[in-house]
């Protein structure tokens, strides 16, 4: 057999592997090994294509393996929060988004509540009429509602406290009328007297002294005993200081007459504004159980339970024309009282004095009755057993006895 060199200059015998491959091809091709060799020679890029294909497969496998592997910490380093404590940008963005949502919710709620409040006020704007048969007199510059009991005996003038009226004395006055001529008035801002500010100790004291003039009290033999309950004690004390020659005596009933309980105007004056405060007031006044609860807490278990007429007696004065505006003004003034230094001047005023408190009055400190009596130069205080802040309702007989015990001024 003739040995032909291959194209690269080597013969088949010099490369047994090549010869073997060729032999296999020839056997499989029915002795056409030379033709296959010629065909292989005719396709010089075939081996290159195979090499590229294998390389592509290798790259694909490598890419697939890389895709299957999770990213390492080196590829995505952790972002530490700023060392100064500032939230990361993503957190700040979330906080701003929630802040905007909360602010929007608050605005929508405020608008809805405001509209509801205006609507409620519009539907409840009708004002109540005062009861029929009331009597009035001009006292200083105020048209004043008043009531009298009894036709003989020494005069006694009853001065109510905050949120009260002539009707607060309805259990006590008939008992006093057995031995006294009894007078009671509605201070301006309360009850059914004309609403006329300012609602100060000075103005209300002028109304009280004007009432004595209108009733022809204050002269010889007509000097009244003034009884002031709660904040009404301040007007009684001030009247005794201004016109001691016209006053027959004074009693502070569950009141110390001081201005220390008032302090500066309440912050609620600035927080509760219209229309909200008007809505809250009207809702409260329209709730019978709330009125009964407040009454019960101030009066105690010894007081008679309020029926429908009793609830209306406490509620209606705040439903008449002008009552709401007057109430807001009075709340701005705070609880009425006078300075302690001025109150001590009563020690030098020669008139009968008395201090009476409910033994269980929780509006004041337990030491208040004794301190008040000492401050104005009165005998030791009288304490009404089992009574709270309204002893003229819970124990009218005991209060009447204390009033009868005050000596008449000569």
């Amino acid at each position: 057999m003739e040995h032909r060199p291959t194209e690269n200059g080597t013969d088949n015998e010099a490369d047994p592997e090549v010869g073997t491959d060729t032999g296999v091809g020839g056997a499989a091709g029915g002795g056409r090994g030379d033709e296959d060799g010629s065909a292989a020679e005719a396709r010089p890029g075939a081996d290159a294509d195979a090499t590229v294909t294998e390389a592509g497969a290798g790259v694909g496998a490598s890419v697939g393996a890389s895709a299957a592997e999770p990213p390492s910490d080196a590829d995505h380093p952790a972002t530490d929060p700023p060392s100064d404590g500032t939230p990361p940008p993503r957190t700040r963005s979330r906080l701003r988004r929630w802040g905007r949502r909360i602010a929007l919710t608050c605005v929508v709620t405020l608008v809805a509540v405001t509209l509801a409040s205006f609507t409620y006020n519009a539907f409840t704007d009708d004002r109540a009429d005062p009861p029929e048969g009331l009597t009035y007199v001009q006292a200083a510059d105020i048209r004043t509602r008043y009531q009298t009991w009894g036709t003989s005996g020494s005069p006694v003038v009853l001065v109510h406290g905050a949120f009260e009226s002539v009707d607060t004395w309805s259990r006590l006055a008939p008992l006093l009328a057995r031995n006294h001529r009894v007078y009671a008035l509605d201070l301006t801002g309360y009850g059914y007297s004309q609403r006329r500010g300012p609602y100060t100790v000075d103005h209300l004291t002028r109304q009280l002294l004007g009432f004595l003039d209108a009733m022809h009290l204050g002269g010889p033999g007509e000097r009244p005993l003034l009884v002031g309950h709660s904040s009404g004690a301040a007007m009684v004390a001030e009247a005794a200081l201004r016109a001691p020659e016209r006053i027959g005596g004074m009693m502070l009933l569950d009141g110390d007459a001081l201005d220390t309980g008032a302090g500066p105007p309440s912050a609620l004056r600035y927080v509760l504004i219209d229309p909200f405060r008007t809505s809250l007031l009207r809702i409260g006044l329209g709730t019978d159980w709330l009125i009964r609860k407040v009454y019960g807490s101030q009066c105690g278990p010894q007081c008679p339970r309020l029926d429908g007429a009793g609830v209306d007696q406490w509620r209606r004065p705040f439903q008449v024309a002008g009552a709401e505006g007057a109430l807001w003004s009075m709340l701005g003034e705070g609880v009425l009282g006078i300075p302690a230094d001025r109150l001590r001047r009563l020690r030098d005023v020669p008139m009968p004095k008395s201090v009476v408190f409910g033994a269980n009055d929780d509006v004041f400190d337990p030491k208040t009755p004794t301190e008040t009596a000492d401050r104005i130069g009165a005998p030791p205080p009288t304490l009404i057993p089992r009574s709270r802040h309204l002893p003229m309702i819970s124990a009218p007989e005991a209060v009447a006895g204390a009033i009868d015990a005050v000596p008449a001024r000569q």
Side-chain angles (χ1 to χ4, degrees):
M1 179 178 298
E2 182 181 357
H3 296 278
R4 294 179 294 177
T6 62
E7 192 172 74
N8 58 7
T10 61
D11 57 24
N12 292 337
E13 289 182 357
D15 192 351
E17 293 181 5
V18 174
T20 303
D21 291 342
T22 305
V24 172
R32 292 181 296 176
D34 292 338
E35 291 179 13
D36 290 340
S38 299
E41 292 175 1
R43 297 197 302 272
D47 292 339
D49 292 340
T51 301
V52 171
T53 301
E54 292 174 1
V59 171
S62 176
V63 171
S66 299
E69 294 177 0
S72 66
D73 291 342
D75 295 331
H76 299 283
T79 302
D80 295 330
S83 60
D84 60 356
T86 304
R90 187 173 183 180
T91 301
R92 291 198 299 270
S93 176
R94 186 180 296 112
L95 291 175
R96 285 195 297 268
R97 186 163 58 251
W98 274 105
R100 287 193 295 269
R101 291 175 180 173
I102 293 172
L104 179 60
T105 301
C106 290
V107 170
V108 172
T109 302
L110 178 61
V111 171
V113 171
T114 302
L115 290 176
S117 181
F118 274 117
T119 302
Y120 176 80
N121 293 349
F123 277 97
T124 58
D125 201 39
D126 291 340
R127 300 292 80 201
D129 294 324
E132 296 181 356
L134 301 183
T135 54
Y136 293 84
V137 69
Q138 190 69 24
D141 60 340
I142 299 166
R143 184 171 181 264
T144 301
R145 179 254 181 136
Y146 74 100
Q147 190 170 349
T148 63
W149 298 261
T151 57
S152 63
S154 59
V156 175
V157 176
L158 306 175
V159 184
H160 64 76
F163 308 106
E164 300 170 3
S165 69
V166 164
D167 300 312
T168 308
W169 305 104
S170 60
R171 286 172 60 84
L172 173 64
L175 301 179
L176 292 175
R178 295 177 301 197
N179 301 310
H180 305 277
R181 288 174 288 135
V182 184
Y183 304 80
L185 74 156
D186 283 344
L187 295 175
T188 182
Y190 300 109
Y192 300 104
S193 287
Q194 176 188 10
R195 263 70 178 178
R196 188 184 183 97
Y199 302 98
T200 60
V201 171
D202 172 67
H203 193 201
L204 273 64
T205 300
R206 286 191 280 117
Q207 180 191 11
L208 174 57
L209 293 175
F211 179 72
L212 299 186
D213 291 337
M215 297 293 103
H216 307 290
L217 299 175
E222 292 293 322
R223 296 187 181 97
L225 170 68
L226 302 184
V227 179
H229 177 249
S230 193
S231 62
M235 274 61 73
V236 165
E238 184 64 22
L241 288 169
R242 291 188 185 186
E245 73 285 353
R246 301 178 58 191
I247 310 301
M250 58 175 291
M251 174 183 286
L252 305 187
L253 178 62
D254 287 86
D256 62 4
L258 289 174
D259 60 355
T260 52
S266 171
L268 291 177
R269 176 188 181 189
Y270 306 101
V271 175
L272 290 179
I273 59 175
D274 274 333
F276 311 113
R277 64 184 184 184
T278 297
S279 297
L280 290 175
L281 175 63
R282 293 179 182 178
I283 291 172
L285 290 175
T287 308
D288 290 4
W289 71 263
L290 180 60
I291 295 175
R292 288 190 175 101
K293 183 175 181 61
V294 173
Y295 165 82
S297 68
Q298 294 295 299
C299 204
Q302 304 298 318
C303 291
R305 185 180 183 276
L306 289 182
D307 56 13
V311 169
D312 186 67
Q313 187 179 91
W314 287 90
R315 171 170 49 207
R316 186 183 290 200
F318 298 99
Q319 295 179 319
V320 298
E324 292 174 349
L327 180 60
W328 309 138
S329 297
M330 289 186 291
L331 290 178
E333 295 289 343
V335 179
L336 298 180
I338 60 181
D341 289 344
R342 180 166 177 77
L343 195 61
R344 287 191 185 95
R345 297 180 187 178
L346 285 170
R347 296 178 63 90
D348 301 324
V349 176
M351 71 170 61
K353 308 180 188 79
S354 177
V355 173
V356 179
F357 272 74
N360 298 329
D361 188 341
D362 56 3
V363 173
F364 293 95
D365 187 275
K367 298 180 295 183
T368 298
T370 300
E371 292 174 346
T372 301
D374 180 70
R375 187 177 294 114
I376 67 173
T382 298
L383 300 181
I384 308 298
R386 298 183 302 279
S387 289
R388 297 185 185 177
H389 192 59
L390 298 172
M392 63 284 205
I393 299 177
S394 62
E397 288 279 1
V399 176
I403 291 175
D404 288 340
V406 177
R409 184 180 183 183
Q410 302 301 322

